[in-house]
């Protein structure tokens, strides 16, 4: 019998923690998991899932007007924000119950409360101590609110998912995933949305063509995007929020949403005191096996700030369980992870951006197409689609697929398999298209973009 209460003690029942604990339980390990909020974590409870349900809800507004071009009468349906939020909440409750059942069915002991690591093999939750051969930290991340005067009047994505009423005027600070996704939701539901960027571009780090194109599509839909705009302070006056910019402009809003990044949840849980190293931004430093500086303590997911996406946290968690409890040493390959932004229109991307490819591979070929999807020939909607292929000139291997347009995330998921298999441009060319689709463009691209002029 082991000297410890458990073989694995996991802090945090989000995507990574639950995946690791269930997998470990399935191999007969004695597993406990603690959680101080609802089981499911950011993705299920206050992130990806509820956000995407709101995106679906918001998209109907365009569908109703598109339908007129196809012969449907021009009705003006009414919208009930409360009904959408309640339906979304019911779905989150259902998923939360499924997560609880899955943990139970895997024999994992759920302990309610915030865990604190006391030493390499001890965790304390709600005043009780538990020992474990291995500890897994999977505590996720939380929104960052910068120190701005009046920031207490602002909300984060946590609150934006459940506002009591639909806002008419929304100021969003930031230009990352969350900012553009909520800009799409509120804009489609009829709000006046203003996005304030401290830099010059939304979605920094994405391919430049994607950023420029999505900016133009968002502006066409009515989202106001202001670059190099900094908030001086936020003030509440009666039922209006006044956002004063450093340039002296005053913006009025019902809601001010800050989407200025997330920070790892690693404070006050005993990590540094027991020898776990943290980086400057508070992320847990781990090796390729997700092991921290303390050999019996592992960490996965957003709290390690590697690739902060749910499917990556799940893989990292399962890899730890496979390595520890199935005699199957497993590492996660963080290259070529596809991702999507559920903006309107959405973005899908996998592999290198054009700039990254040039820096790493030198000579590359770039293929870009930009077209109006067939549906909009009748709907009349002024929305375009962008597709881009980045190819190594040396061996013809595809280095990156990028897309903005309807179904981009669904299309890029398939192409991420191809890139994982080392697909070449010649193999794309040899693939017969499905017609008429947007996706077929990826196998029919012929016109190479001219190389950029070399710098003087
Ligand atoms: P991001 O890191 O994606 O973007 C942060 C944005 O805020 C950037 O535009 C950044 O500007 C700006 N910013 C940062 N600090 C300040 C500041 N002090 N004042 C003004 N602007 C500032 O963060 P998000 O909050 O959008 O999302 C967090 C993470 O959540 C993402 O990185 C992603 O990993 C995950 N996520 C994934 C989703 C998906 O897969 N669909 C959806 C939602 C979230 P600059 O560019 O100048 O740095």
């Amino acid at each position: 019998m082991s000297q410890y209460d458990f073989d694995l003690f996991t802090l945090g029942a989000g995507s990574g923690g639950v995946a690791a604990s269930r997998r470990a339980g399935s191999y007969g390990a004695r597993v406990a998991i603690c959680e101080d909020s609802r089981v499911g974590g950011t993705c299920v409870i206050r992130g990806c899932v509820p956000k995407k349900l709101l995106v679906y809800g918001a998209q109907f507004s365009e569908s109703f007007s598109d339908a007129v071009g196809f012969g449907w009468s021009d009705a003006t349906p009414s919208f009930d924000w409360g009904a959408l939020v309640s339906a979304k909440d019911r779905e989150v409750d259902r998923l939360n119950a499924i997560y609880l059942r899955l943990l139970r069915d895997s024999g994992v002991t759920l302990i309610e409360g915030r865990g604190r690591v006391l030493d390499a093999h001890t965790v304390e939750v709600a005043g009780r101590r538990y020992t474990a051969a291995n500890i897994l930290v999977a505590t996720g991340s939380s929104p960052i609110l910068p120190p701005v005067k009046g920031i207490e009047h602002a909300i984060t994505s946590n609150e934006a998912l459940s506002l009591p009423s639909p806002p008419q005027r929304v100021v969003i600070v930031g230009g990352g995933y969350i900012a553009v996704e909520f800009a799409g939701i509120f804009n489609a539901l009829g709000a006046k949305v203003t996005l304030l960027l401290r830099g010059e571009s939304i979605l920094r780090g994405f391919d430049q063509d994607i950023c420029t194109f999505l900016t133009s599509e968002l502006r066409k839909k009515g989202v106001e995007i202001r670059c190099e705009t900094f908030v001086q302070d936020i003030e509440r006056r009666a039922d209006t929020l006044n956002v004063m910019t450093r340039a002296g402009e005053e913006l009025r809003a019902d809601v001010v949403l800050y989407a200025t990044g997330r920070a790892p949840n690693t404070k006050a849980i005993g990590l540094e005191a027991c020898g776990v190293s943290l980086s400057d931004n508070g992320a847990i430093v781990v090796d390729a096996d997700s092991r921290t500086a303390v050999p019996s303590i592992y960490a996965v997911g957003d709290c390690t700030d590697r690739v902060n996406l749910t499917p990556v946290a799940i893989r990292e968690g399962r890899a730890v369980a496979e390595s520890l409890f199935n005699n199957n040493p497993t590492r996660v390959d963080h290259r070529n992870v596809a991702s999507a932004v559920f903006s309107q229109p959405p973005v899908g991307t996998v592999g290198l951006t054009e700039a990254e490819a040039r820096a790493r591979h030198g000579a590359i070929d770039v293929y870009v197409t930009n077209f109006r999807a067939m549906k909009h020939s009748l709907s009349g909607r002024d929305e375009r689609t962008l597709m881009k292929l980045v190819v190594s000139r040396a061996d013809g291997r595809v280095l990156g697929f990028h897309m903005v347009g309807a179904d981009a995330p669904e299309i890029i998921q398939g192409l991420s398999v191809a890139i994982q298999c080392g697909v070449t441009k010649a193999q794309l060319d040899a693939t017969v298209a499905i017609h008429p689709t947007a996706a077929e463009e990826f196998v029919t691209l012929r016109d190479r973009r001219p190389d950029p002029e070399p710098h003087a």
Side-chain angles (χ1 to χ4, degrees):
M1 191 64 189
S2 159
Q3 63 186 111
Y4 300 111
D5 299 331
F6 295 101
D7 300 314
L8 178 70
F9 196 107
T10 303
L11 284 83
S15 302
V18 168
S21 302
R22 288 183 58 214
R23 184 62 62 92
S26 77
Y27 293 132
R30 297 165 313 135
V31 185
I33 190 166
C34 69
E35 172 59 58
D36 64 353
S37 176
R38 297 180 74 192
V39 167
T42 300
C43 177
V44 175
I45 307 295
R46 64 193 87 82
C48 327
V49 171
K51 177 273 314 286
K52 189 149 184 210
L53 293 172
L54 295 192
V55 170
Y56 280 129
Q59 278 169 340
F60 283 100
S61 64
E62 281 188 334
S63 302
F64 288 121
S65 53
D66 287 350
V68 178
F70 293 85
W72 293 86
S73 55
D74 190 3
T76 315
S78 62
F79 171 69
D80 183 341
W81 169 257
L84 173 61
V85 170
S86 304
K88 178 263 297 172
D89 287 344
R90 279 195 300 279
E91 177 58 8
V92 169
D93 290 347
R94 190 182 72 85
L95 294 174
N96 170 245
I98 289 175
Y99 264 64
L100 286 165
R101 197 185 68 229
L102 291 173
L103 282 177
R104 214 171 32 240
D105 291 351
S106 313
V108 175
T109 305
L110 174 64
I111 299 166
E112 285 177 27
R114 190 180 174 79
R116 215 164 67 84
V117 182
L118 299 184
D119 63 38
H121 296 283
T122 313
V123 177
E124 186 180 76
V125 189
R128 243 193 99 177
R129 291 181 180 198
Y130 304 87
T131 60
N134 301 283
I135 293 170
L136 175 67
V137 185
T139 46
S141 63
S142 304
I144 300 171
L145 282 171
V148 167
K149 189 161 169 257
I151 194 74
E152 65 276 12
H153 302 303
I155 61 166
T156 69
S157 54
N158 292 344
E159 296 75 37
L161 291 162
S162 299
L163 291 172
S165 55
Q168 296 305 306
R169 301 160 299 176
V170 185
V171 168
I172 302 180
V173 183
Y177 283 81
I178 295 178
V180 297
E181 290 181 341
F182 277 99
I185 292 168
F186 291 128
N187 181 61
L189 293 177
K192 165 82 194 110
V193 177
T194 308
L195 216 56
L196 304 185
L197 311 183
R198 66 176 176 183
E200 287 190 341
S201 174
I202 57 168
L203 295 182
R204 191 162 59 82
F206 282 65
D207 188 275
Q208 193 50 52
D209 278 314
I210 298 288
C211 303
T212 310
F213 185 84
L214 183 63
T215 300
S216 138
E217 289 300 309
L218 292 177
R219 283 188 168 139
K220 276 198 281 182
K221 286 181 193 291
V223 176
E224 189 181 342
I225 302 178
R226 297 189 181 202
C227 301
E228 293 175 3
T229 304
F230 299 85
V231 175
Q232 179 75 33
D233 62 49
I234 306 164
E235 211 178 279
R236 176 173 290 289
R237 291 198 202 137
D239 55 0
T240 294
L241 294 171
N242 278 50
V243 178
M244 187 66 85
T245 71
R246 274 195 218 157
E249 280 176 289
E250 195 174 292
L251 306 169
R252 292 178 182 195
D254 308 309
V255 162
V256 178
L257 167 62
Y258 265 74
T260 46
R262 299 176 64 90
N265 291 331
T266 54
K267 289 210 180 82
I269 52 172
L271 295 174
E272 281 168 299
C274 67
V276 171
S277 306
L278 302 185
S279 65
D280 289 347
N281 74 345
I284 300 172
V285 179
V286 289
D287 65 13
D289 296 311
S290 295
R291 195 189 285 256
T292 70
V294 179
S296 59
I297 303 182
Y298 294 78
V300 297
D302 282 12
C303 65
T304 62
D305 195 22
R306 287 175 282 179
V307 178
N308 299 332
L309 298 170
T310 279
V312 176
I314 291 172
R315 281 196 168 238
E316 290 167 352
R318 286 186 182 150
V320 169
E322 287 291 332
S323 305
L324 287 177
F325 303 111
N326 192 31
N327 197 22
N328 173 24
T330 305
R331 284 183 173 173
V332 177
D333 183 354
H334 289 92
R335 290 168 304 170
N336 287 333
V337 173
S339 77
V341 185
F342 295 96
S343 46
Q344 297 179 39
V347 177
T349 173
V350 63
L352 302 182
T353 66
E354 179 179 341
E356 288 168 341
R358 270 189 212 292
R360 288 189 213 172
H361 293 263
I364 56 165
D365 291 329
V366 174
Y367 299 83
V368 185
T369 180
N370 167 338
F371 57 94
R372 188 185 204 195
M374 184 196 249
K375 181 178 175 189
H376 301 313
S377 57
L378 293 201
S379 77
R381 201 200 307 173
D382 180 20
E383 182 179 304
R384 298 186 70 80
T385 295
L386 177 89
M387 287 169 155
K388 178 168 180 177
L389 200 57
V390 179
V391 179
S392 158
R393 193 170 291 168
D395 58 9
R397 241 170 7 102
V398 177
L399 302 172
F401 289 103
H402 308 277
M403 176 174 175
V404 184
D407 301 322
E410 307 288 344
I411 292 168
I412 292 293
Q413 177 69 87
L415 292 171
S416 70
V417 179
I419 218 170
Q420 192 71 13
C421 298
V423 71
T424 62
K425 175 72 169 77
Q427 288 169 326
L428 289 179
D429 294 343
T431 303
V432 178
I434 302 174
H435 186 72
T437 62
E440 68 179 308
E441 292 290 324
F442 273 125
V443 296
T444 55
L445 285 167
R446 287 184 58 80
D447 296 331
R448 206 163 55 79
R449 191 187 254 180
D451 285 343
E453 294 290 324
H455 289 298

